[in-house]
């Protein structure tokens, strides 16, 4: 699979959900160009892979219909044999969300309602699809977005660890990540203490409720995986998580931002016995 094929398939999955909806929404693209670093990676993949992540707001319909659109997306995907990533949405809630995947090509998708007016129960539905990771080749390089993954010449073991930690944090947070932005991706730096690999990425903007739930899932993951965890005050005025892996001395940060997105960063020391710092 390459960028063009991944984009075509992602758009197909979105239209499989949207084209039969009533009332008929308009698709408003969220975020910049969709090609970026491989976040939902597996441990066996090469370090320079990419993936496509496409998301749309469903606009042009009353806010009271957001829940209905999410249910229709779920129904369309179920009819095609796609599988739930976890259990079905709790439809008793005013703002449910659905996380699913395709088989056998393993694209991940979600349909989500965000809060517009909590008093009246109005929401705004969005839908997104993330492709599996794929290798960049010569034909892709000319069309890949300038924010795509740029591999640095650093110790491969440390780079692998940082990306693996990012992948597990991504799975734990269980929210869609945003296309690459300035400062995202993997990099290397060195100071008086040693050399480090740093991997940074962001989620899509979340509601207050979604942020609280994702942060709770992140803390549960860190504690269950044996990381030491503490809270610090973030720019959004709410606590961020700082976690340290006692085995490889990586440090991870999950921090709410003023845009509503969660900023995630993992720093791993290249040489053993050196503590990473964020």
């Amino acid at each position: 699979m390459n960028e063009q094929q991944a984009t075509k398939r992602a758009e197909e999955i979105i239209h499989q959900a949207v084209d039969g909806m009533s009332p008929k929404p308009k698709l408003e693209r969220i975020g910049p160009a969709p090609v970026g670093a491989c976040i939902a990676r597996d441990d066996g993949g090469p370090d320079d892979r990419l993936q496509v992540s496409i998301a749309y707001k469903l606009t042009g319909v009353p806010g009271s219909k957001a829940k209905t659109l999410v249910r229709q997306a779920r129904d369309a995907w179920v009819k095609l044999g796609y599988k739930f990533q976890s259990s079905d949405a709790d439809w008793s809630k005013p703002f449910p969300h659905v996380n699913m995947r395709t088989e056998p090509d393993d694209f991940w998708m979600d349909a989500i309602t965000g809060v517009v007016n909590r008093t009246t129960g109005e929401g705004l539905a969005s839908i997104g699809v993330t492709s599996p990771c794929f290798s960049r080749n010569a034909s892709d390089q000319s069309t890949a977005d300038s924010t795509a993954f740029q591999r640095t010449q650093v110790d491969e073991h440390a780079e692998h660890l940082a990306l693996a930690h990012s992948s597990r944090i991504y799975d734990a947070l269980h929210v869609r990540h945003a296309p690459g932005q300035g400062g995202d991706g993997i990099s290397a730096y060195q100071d008086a203490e040693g050399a480090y690999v740093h991997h940074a990425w962001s989620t899509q903007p979340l509601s207050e409720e979604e942020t609280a739930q994702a942060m709770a899932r992140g803390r549960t993951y860190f504690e269950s995986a044996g990381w030491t965890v503490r809270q610090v005050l973030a720019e959004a005025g709410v606590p961020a998580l700082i976690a340290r892996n006692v085995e490889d001395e990586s440090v991870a940060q999950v921090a709410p931002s003023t845009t509503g997105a969660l900023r995630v960063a993992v720093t791993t020391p290249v040489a053993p016995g050196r503590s990473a710092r964020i």
Side-chain angles (χ1 to χ4, degrees):
M1 183 174 62
N2 58 29
E3 175 189 334
Q4 183 178 8
Q5 293 166 333
T7 301
K8 181 178 179 181
R9 175 62 171 145
E11 292 282 5
E12 177 186 40
I13 295 166
I14 287 171
H15 283 279
Q16 287 170 340
V18 172
D19 287 352
M21 286 181 174
S22 178
K24 187 74 171 179
K26 297 178 181 179
L27 296 179
E28 181 180 328
R29 187 72 162 266
I30 302 173
V35 182
C38 174
I39 300 296
R41 59 179 286 112
D42 56 60
D43 288 345
D47 293 331
D48 61 348
R49 294 186 301 162
L50 303 171
Q51 66 185 156
V52 167
S53 183
I54 296 176
Y56 291 97
K57 289 189 292 186
L58 306 184
T59 64
V61 299
S64 59
K65 296 296 183 180
K67 183 175 180 178
T68 299
L69 298 183
V70 170
R71 184 186 288 272
Q72 290 177 2
R74 186 280 308 267
D75 291 345
W77 287 333
V78 167
K79 287 181 180 179
L80 291 166
Y82 301 155
K83 306 299 182 182
F84 289 101
Q85 291 279 42
S86 54
S87 59
D88 193 3
D90 184 349
W91 298 102
S92 65
K93 293 184 177 180
F95 304 104
H97 66 275
V98 175
N99 293 279
M100 299 182 70
R101 62 182 176 86
T102 67
E103 288 188 346
D105 52 359
D106 202 32
F107 281 67
W108 292 15
M109 63 277 200
D110 55 34
I112 299 173
T113 50
V115 180
V116 174
N117 188 317
R118 193 176 295 276
T119 301
T120 63
E122 291 190 350
L124 178 67
S126 66
I127 190 169
V129 175
T130 299
S131 78
C133 299
F134 54 89
S135 297
R136 188 206 307 239
N137 57 39
S139 63
D140 292 327
Q141 289 183 20
S142 61
T143 57
D145 182 72
S146 61
T147 60
F149 185 86
Q150 298 294 324
R151 191 169 189 271
T152 55
Q153 297 300 313
V154 296
D155 181 85
E156 291 188 3
H157 179 66
E159 188 174 308
H160 177 85
L161 284 175
L163 290 169
H165 287 318
S166 273
S167 177
R168 295 185 187 106
I169 295 168
Y170 172 82
D171 290 340
L173 295 180
H174 207 65
V175 292
R176 188 168 62 241
H177 72 83
Q181 305 174 32
D184 286 355
I186 198 160
S187 59
Y189 71 92
Q190 187 165 358
D191 61 18
E193 300 295 326
Y196 307 90
V197 174
H198 184 76
H199 187 229
W201 54 278
S202 300
T203 72
Q204 293 281 6
L206 307 175
S207 67
E208 290 184 6
E209 181 180 0
E210 291 167 340
T211 297
Q213 292 172 348
M215 293 293 286
R217 289 191 292 266
R219 179 160 197 145
T220 298
Y221 161 71
F222 285 129
E223 292 176 343
S224 65
W227 295 61
T228 58
V229 186
R230 62 186 177 91
Q231 290 185 326
V232 298
L233 194 64
E235 62 176 320
V238 295
L241 296 177
I242 301 290
R244 181 177 180 274
N245 186 289
V246 295
E247 294 183 359
D248 60 38
E249 299 180 324
S250 294
V251 172
Q253 174 181 281
V254 182
S257 69
T258 55
T259 66
L262 295 180
R263 290 286 297 163
V264 181
V266 176
T267 305
T268 299
V270 170
R274 304 278 192 174
S275 294
R277 299 183 300 176
I278 291 182

